[in-house]
Amino acid sequence: MLHHHPIDIDHGTPASGSSESVQLVIDGREVRVPKGTSLMRAAVDAGIQVPKLCATDSLEPFGSCRLCLVEIDGRRGFPASCTTPAEAGMVVRTQSPKLQSLRQGVMELYISDHPLDCLTCSANGDCELQDMAGVTGLRSVRYGTSGQCVDGVTGRHHGGSAKDESNPYFTYDPAKCIVCNRCVRACEETQGTFALTISGRGFESRVSPGQDQAFMDSDCVSCGACVQACPTATLQEKSVIALGQAEHSVITTCAYCGVGCAFKAEMKGNTVVRMVPWKDGKANEGHACVKGRFAWGYATHKDRITKPMVRARITDPWREVSWDDAIAYAASEFKRIQARHGRDAVGGITSSRCTNEEAYLVQKLIRAAFGNNNVDTCARVCHSPTGYGLGQAFGTSAGTQTFKSVEQADVILVIGANPSDAHPVFASRMKRRLRQGAQLIVADPRQTELVASPHVKAAHHLALRPGTNVALINALAHVVVTEGLTNEAFVAERCELKSFQQWRDFVSLPEHAPEAVEAVTGVPAAELRAAARLYAQGPNSAIYYGLGVTEHAQGSTMVMGIANLAMACGMVGREGVGVNPLRGQNNVQGSCDMGSFPHELPGYRHVADTTVRAEFEAAWGVELSPEPGLRIPNMFDAAMAGSFKGLYVQGEDIAQSDPNTQHVSAALEAMECIVVQDIFLNETAKFAHVLLPGSSFLEKDGTFTNAERRISRVRQVMPPLAGLADWQVTVKLANALGYPMHYDHPEQVMQEIAALTPSFRGVSYGKIERLGSVQWPCNEGTDEAGTATMHVEGFVRGRGRFFNTRYVPTDEKVTRKFPLLLTTGRILSQYNVGAQTRRTANNQWHDEDRLDIHPHDAQERGIRDGDWVGITSRAGQTVQRARVTDRMQPGVVWTTFHFPESGANVITTDSSDWATNCPEYKVTAVQVSKVMQPSAWQQDYAAFNREQLALLEQARPPATAVGQ
């Protein structure tokens, strides 16, 4: 098999973390290993392979298969090498006639209850049972095999067991199960779902999802850990069954959430056979979720746009044209608009799904070719308050820790995030630490899975009312300060004393006491005080937060409040602590790093800084505007006012993702030229005049930066379906606009980024190839691999700064007309606006957006589970089906935004964060009532959607469009 990366070695058991070492002899070789290392792993370290079936280095040793038996001088019997730790002076033999005989006997028993269909088995060529039969020298089976008669006797077997094909991505064939327990242990140890068990006893033992249920009826979350762990074809990807074994593999990075999981794309030519989580990936360490592991089929979906298209008006049919014609048309339209309406009449939006290199080129095009700073990114509507708040307090706008750091945390405070659904691989890591004894505090209006589930329970659930985050964080700080729980030494050494003293006086005010804010937040004062004490006493306390913090009118204030609390308690600058924003999209961190905000050049340096601007002007050969450009909401407002006429959108769907959909749609319709570069006809593309085919992550070459500032390679595993990669399209457009760009490969773009961005100065493809990944800051002042933990010896800004975070109630207040508060979020199986996951089998779990409502609120309105309900706000109305659940608190309803027809953002308003304009998705005053038909907006949307899909179908090839 041709590998494009080093062959993975399975050491059989996890590595020991001990700093002590022991020396022993294995098969005549002297070996030195860390204390606590298993004999199996020690042997592999010495280049000696010990037969095994139940052991793998991602799971704790189990010792059930009895193949890994060894002999140890001075000891009786034949201990299992996976469960026996290496000791100083041991003399071990892994091979002997007796061991050979024992192993053959064990293998004979396994094979006697296993189908011998190896040549037609889907695991042929990738089956550990098959390998071990060869290693042990098994040549015959005295007891027969499944369905075979020996000496007139047919032994009992499981050969007739029915296969479970309910899961859309993998099959379960109990006839081939050897009951090694690896899948059960992977579900427990790696994933933390505990969906699998061993059902029955003795000979009847078999792996069972739930209580002898089908996989799709069980608690299984389809992360694939069990499939990855299975040594036979018992659990097998349906793609492997259809296509056979891959012939080469390429390491790349997932294009879903901000965890940034590394994957091994196993390929046959240009066809993906399967995506396997890479065990050496620092962010995921061999684990994955249902999206990254299985939901990659959208990349070759029939809906892919593979030909450039143009039209004069959005009511016209699309016309397929050549790349050159499409680029020339787009450039001429932008030039026409600027000539007529001024230089600032056009702008662009970079993508958080595209690479760093692609985002960098788009913002460079806007600044150098358009000549303005009208560039923004989707971080505007998610984590822009993180950039502002952490930048003010710490001096940099990113998370402080690695994901692995959570393994050292004693207390974990999760605010406004549901990592089990939105960041599941990190959630598995965190839940593993919780099962080891760490304490959990959850601040969330909903009772998420983390609050209470069979194997995880929060010590404190601060079920606050939406919109009261700042009141809550001030109350926590009040307890810390007034009860003498501040880390005075840390503050004195690391923080601005004047700002600390002012803040301490501020939060000490009686108005911030838990008892005073209980009526505002809805959180009992005793619960809040206990949570504050738990966090402050640590000794290692870490904060992880999500969009439930940032997507508020006081999002930036809350981020600064979180930073205040962490600094006051000394929970910054070492392992197991920190302030960690959980980024929503695969490269939202990178798109911000690359200068996608209208006021900042790459590296978060202000456009008004003459020295910084001069550096970029010298490199780019053009004069840059010192004036910050328009943010996305400003672009919409300017379009409605008639001064903003042209937009270049790469890989974002603002028509679905941004709030107040009707306002966004009206703004898009008011523009004269919208150029959309995407892989599908998304909702924004339905308002476009030029549609440029995009490339999926499987067709990309470049880098992504995840939520822990980790820069990882994205490697092309198949050529772009449309012939050009996204970066090449941007280069062509810049050249057509009259600004020359010349790059032959994305590596050259990264070289330019590194030369112009201090925090990226030490980043290179060569270094990433050697180390696997690097973390910014990465330069001459850091370790070679960059900076794993931020602010170790001091804050980036020098001394940490405290800010008085006054609570200001949101304008979105409940009234008699709108008595409920709507908040929004994500679900495990779908991603963001759903353009990718809706085109996969993930729809089998979640095929529509639903409204979660508390039983009391439902009963008051005569609503039953599954009823159609109208959701009305001051911005608009939509209709969804209700899901009645006590996970909601009374007075609060919740929905997702994965399906355009659900219109979740029709009802969200234009209320936004005071500092960054991040929309207040998490607080919308609504009324909910039973209805019998879709809303007026949904009916209009359905008609518009049908019209746009019909216009796409009418796209004519260039030959028939000549002269028209």
Side-chain angles (χ1 to χ4, degrees):
M1 182 182 291
L2 171 64
H3 286 265
H4 289 179
H5 66 94
I7 296 175
D8 293 333
I9 297 174
D10 189 342
H11 291 79
T13 62
S16 167
S18 176
S19 57
E20 298 180 50
S21 66
V22 296
Q23 186 168 313
L24 67 159
V25 176
I26 303 178
D27 290 349
R29 305 182 195 180
E30 288 192 354
V31 184
R32 181 171 289 277
V33 295
K35 186 177 181 180
T37 300
S38 71
L39 288 180
M40 176 180 286
R41 190 177 182 98
V44 175
D45 285 347
I48 301 165
Q49 294 295 326
V50 181
K52 60 182 173 61
L53 278 174
C54 72
T56 183
D57 58 14
S58 64
L59 303 173
E60 292 300 317
F62 194 61
S64 72
C65 76
R66 314 313 292 172
L67 273 185
C68 71
L69 307 179
V70 294
E71 295 175 344
I72 303 174
D73 282 2
R75 292 198 183 182
R76 298 175 59 185
F78 305 91
S81 62
C82 65
T83 57
T84 305
E87 297 177 10
M90 269 186 173
V91 177
V92 180
R93 284 178 297 281
T94 68
Q95 301 293 337
S96 72
K98 182 60 177 175
L99 289 172
Q100 180 78 355
S101 176
L102 287 170
R103 290 169 180 160
Q104 282 185 348
V106 170
M107 278 305 303
E108 195 174 4
L109 290 170
Y110 276 122
I111 298 301
S112 70
D113 189 23
H114 197 84
L116 291 186
D117 60 349
C118 294
L119 293 180
T120 57
C121 178
S122 59
N124 187 15
D126 186 31
C127 176
E128 294 180 44
L129 185 69
Q130 190 181 65
D131 294 341
M132 292 304 103
V135 166
T136 58
L138 184 66
R139 298 294 175 259
S140 62
V141 180
R142 289 167 292 171
Y143 320 111
T145 58
S146 293
Q148 187 182 64
C149 180
V150 177
D151 295 332
V153 178
T154 301
R156 293 176 64 197
H157 59 81
H158 297 88
S161 301
K163 185 184 290 189
D164 178 0
E165 300 190 71
S166 62
N167 190 286
Y169 295 121
F170 60 85
T171 63
Y172 169 52
D173 187 354
K176 296 185 176 181
C177 180
I178 60 172
V179 200
C180 65
N181 245 286
R182 272 164 61 164
C183 60
V184 177
R185 289 147 57 209
C187 192
E188 295 176 359
E189 297 175 26
T190 305
Q191 169 57 28
T193 297
F194 294 79
L196 303 181
T197 188
I198 300 296
S199 177
R201 303 182 67 179
F203 182 77
E204 302 301 331
S205 300
R206 274 298 176 269
V207 171
S208 165
Q211 296 180 322
D212 293 317
Q213 299 166 291
F215 264 89
M216 285 297 280
D217 296 330
S218 72
D219 291 333
C220 170
V221 294
S222 298
C223 69
C226 60
V227 180
Q228 179 71 9
C230 182
T232 69
T234 306
L235 289 158
Q236 184 72 77
E237 298 96 334
K238 290 183 176 179
S239 58
V240 173
I241 295 172
L243 297 170
Q245 299 300 324
E247 49 86 17
H248 74 273
S249 56
V250 181
I251 301 298
T252 192
T253 304
C254 181
Y256 279 116
C257 79
V259 173
C261 296
F263 276 88
K264 184 169 61 173
E266 296 195 350
M267 309 290 298
K268 268 190 162 181
N270 293 329
T271 300
V272 179
V273 175
R274 64 178 175 179
M275 298 291 287
V276 178
W278 189 35
K279 63 188 294 184
D280 291 332
K282 299 292 196 302
N284 60 317
E285 295 185 331
H287 191 36
C289 77
V290 62
K291 295 187 287 288
R293 183 70 159 86
F294 296 117
W296 39 266
Y298 70 87
T300 53
H301 194 273
K302 62 181 178 61
D303 289 350
R304 279 290 300 269
I305 301 297
T306 58
K307 300 287 186 183
M309 290 183 276
V310 300
R311 60 183 178 180
R313 297 176 299 276
I314 67 169
T315 53
D316 293 343
W318 287 103
R319 294 188 296 115
E320 289 184 1
V321 297
S322 68
W323 272 111
D324 287 344
D325 287 349
I327 295 289
Y329 181 78
S332 67
E333 283 294 281
F334 285 137
K335 288 178 180 178
R336 177 187 63 78
I337 289 170
Q338 287 189 300
R340 182 174 179 181
H341 299 283
R343 184 178 65 178
D344 294 332
V346 298
I349 297 174
T350 72
S351 176
S352 294
R353 299 190 194 108
C354 290
T355 64
N356 287 316
E357 294 77 3
E358 289 160 348
Y360 175 85
L361 290 180
V362 171
Q363 65 83 33
K364 180 179 179 180
L365 176 149
I366 292 161
R367 292 190 159 102
F370 284 174
N372 61 46
N373 290 309
N374 292 339
V375 58
D376 212 347
T377 187
C378 87
R380 173 67 53 212
V381 299
C382 60
H383 269 287
S384 52
T386 287
Y388 181 86
L390 294 186
Q392 292 290 306
F394 295 164
T396 189
S397 62
T400 60
Q401 316 293 124
T402 64
F403 290 131
K404 193 174 180 65
S405 170
V406 76
E407 297 172 8
Q408 305 299 319
D410 302 299
V411 178
I412 301 167
L413 171 55
V414 177
I415 311 177
N418 183 16
S420 298
D421 279 0
H423 304 86
V425 173
F426 168 71
S428 293
R429 228 190 245 274
M430 181 174 66
K431 286 187 277 191
R432 189 182 314 136
R433 180 60 183 154
L434 294 172
R435 294 196 301 273
Q436 293 169 350
Q439 297 289 296
L440 175 66
I441 305 166
V442 175
D444 198 293
R446 295 193 304 145
Q447 183 178 309
T448 63
E449 187 243 10
L450 286 177
V451 172
S453 58
H455 300 278
V456 172
K457 184 173 177 61
H460 302 286
H461 178 207
L462 310 180
L464 74 169
R465 293 195 182 97
T468 63
N469 286 353
V470 174
L472 179 90
I473 203 74
N474 286 343
L476 290 171
H478 176 91
V479 176
V480 168
V481 168
T482 58
E483 294 189 5
L485 299 175
T486 54
N487 188 327
E488 300 287 348
F490 179 91
V491 171
E493 180 184 351
R494 302 283 301 276
C495 303
E496 290 182 357
L497 294 183
K498 182 179 179 181
S499 68
F500 170 70
Q501 289 163 358
Q502 291 172 341
W503 172 79
R504 181 174 58 189
D505 292 344
F506 168 76
V507 296
S508 298
L509 294 172
E511 66 195 62
H512 297 131
E515 293 75 14
V517 303
E518 181 173 338
V520 174
T521 65
V523 179
E527 190 79 3
L528 213 155
R529 285 190 176 274
R533 293 166 187 151
L534 181 62
Y535 174 82
Q537 291 166 358
N540 284 343
S541 298
I543 296 175
Y544 295 88
Y545 70 86
L547 303 183
V549 162
T550 57
E551 292 178 345
H552 286 270
Q554 283 199 287
S556 293
T557 309
M558 179 61 178
V559 173
M560 290 189 287
I562 289 171
N564 290 340
L565 182 66
M567 289 189 292
C569 297
M571 300 300 180
V572 184
R574 63 183 186 276
E575 286 289 276
V577 299
V579 176
N580 305 281
L582 295 172
R583 301 280 188 166
Q585 296 192 56
N586 56 297
N587 201 39
V588 68
Q589 179 69 60
S591 68
C592 299
D593 300 340
M594 292 300 101
S596 295
F597 287 135
H599 66 293
E600 289 175 332
L601 288 158
Y604 303 99
R605 289 172 296 167
H606 206 283
V607 295
D609 188 316
T610 305
T611 304
V612 170
R613 207 168 59 253
E615 184 180 352
F616 281 90
E617 288 174 341
W620 293 353
V622 66
E623 185 177 343
L624 300 177
S625 170
E627 295 298 324
L630 298 176
R631 297 170 174 177
I632 292 175
N634 305 138
M635 294 180 190
F636 295 152
D637 292 342
M640 295 298 289
S643 60
F644 190 82
K645 294 291 186 178
L647 186 64
Y648 172 35
V649 186
Q650 183 188 77
E652 288 297 338
D653 196 0
I654 52 178
Q656 185 178 342
S657 65
D658 283 44
N660 198 344
T661 298
Q662 295 178 88
H663 175 66
V664 174
S665 299
L668 294 175
E669 287 189 54
M671 296 185 200
E672 295 179 5
C673 180
I674 297 176
V675 177
V676 169
Q677 187 174 332
D678 214 297
I679 60 177
F680 300 116
L681 182 79
N682 62 20
E683 300 308 303
T684 307
K686 293 168 186 175
F687 294 92
H689 308 87
V690 181
L691 183 52
L692 304 175
S695 51
S696 74
F697 81 109
L698 296 172
E699 301 148 55
K700 290 185 182 297
D701 221 329
T703 57
F704 290 154
T705 305
N706 75 349
E708 48 176 8
R709 298 167 284 102
R710 186 178 304 282
I711 306 165
S712 303
R713 284 279 280 118
V714 185
R715 294 177 179 87
Q716 187 180 92
V717 304
M718 62 173 68
L721 297 190
L724 293 177
D726 284 324
W727 69 271
Q728 292 173 308
V729 176
T730 303
V731 167
K732 280 183 173 290
L733 181 57
N735 287 323
L737 287 165
Y739 177 75
M741 282 190 190
H742 303 292
Y743 303 97
D744 299 317
H745 191 272
E747 183 173 11
Q748 296 170 334
V749 183
M750 178 53 74
Q751 289 167 352
E752 182 174 312
I753 294 167
L756 291 170
T757 311
S759 57
F760 275 65
R761 197 84 76 201
V763 177
S764 69
Y765 280 25
K767 182 181 286 188
I768 296 173
E769 292 290 342
R770 281 190 294 106
L771 303 178
S773 62
V774 298
Q775 289 176 273
W776 72 259
C778 181
N779 51 38
E780 60 281 355
T782 69
D783 293 339
E784 184 185 19
T787 308
T789 303
M790 296 288 288
H791 320 299
V792 173
E793 296 178 355
F795 290 99
V796 170
R797 69 182 308 277
R799 285 181 171 267
R801 186 177 183 187
F802 287 82
F803 288 85
N804 291 356
T805 52
R806 184 167 301 280
Y807 167 62
V808 178
T810 174
D811 290 338
E812 282 293 305
K813 297 178 175 66
V814 294
T815 63
R816 180 176 294 180
K817 186 176 182 181
F818 302 120
L820 303 173
L821 289 178
L822 168 76
T823 187
T824 62
R826 299 181 180 185
I827 203 160
L828 172 64
S829 58
Q830 297 290 347
Y831 170 70
N832 201 261
V833 296
Q836 294 150 273
T837 43
R838 280 187 281 110
R839 292 175 171 90
T840 70
N842 281 25
N843 282 357
Q844 292 190 30
W845 286 278
H846 186 82
D847 61 358
E848 64 178 330
D849 294 319
R850 288 198 176 198
L851 184 79
D852 284 7
I853 185 169
H854 188 272
H856 172 75
D857 295 326
Q859 185 178 19
E860 275 194 336
R861 292 160 175 79
I863 295 169
R864 293 180 298 180
D865 195 74
D867 283 350
W868 290 102
V869 294
I871 314 155
T872 307
S873 74
R874 62 184 173 88
Q877 183 193 39
T878 193
V879 172
Q880 297 180 7
R881 283 202 290 167
R883 177 166 46 209
V884 180
T885 170
D886 57 8
R887 285 190 174 271
M888 301 306 301
Q889 59 175 279
V892 179
V893 293
W894 179 87
T895 190
T896 53
F897 57 97
H898 304 304
F899 293 80
E901 62 273 15
S902 73
N905 281 322
V906 171
I907 46 180
T908 53
T909 69
D910 54 7
S911 178
S912 65
D913 175 52
W914 62 271
T916 65
N917 283 132
C918 181
E920 192 171 33
Y921 292 111
K922 303 307 182 192
V923 190
T924 304
V926 299
Q927 177 59 289
V928 175
S929 56
K930 283 184 69 171
V931 297
M932 300 301 292
Q933 63 180 8
S935 69
W937 177 87
Q938 285 171 310
Q939 294 176 48
D940 290 343
Y941 168 79
F944 176 69
N945 185 53
R946 284 194 300 270
E947 176 188 15
Q948 290 300 316
L949 292 178
L951 295 174
L952 180 65
E953 288 299 314
Q954 296 174 44
R956 290 164 289 182
T960 61
V962 173
Q964 296 184 13

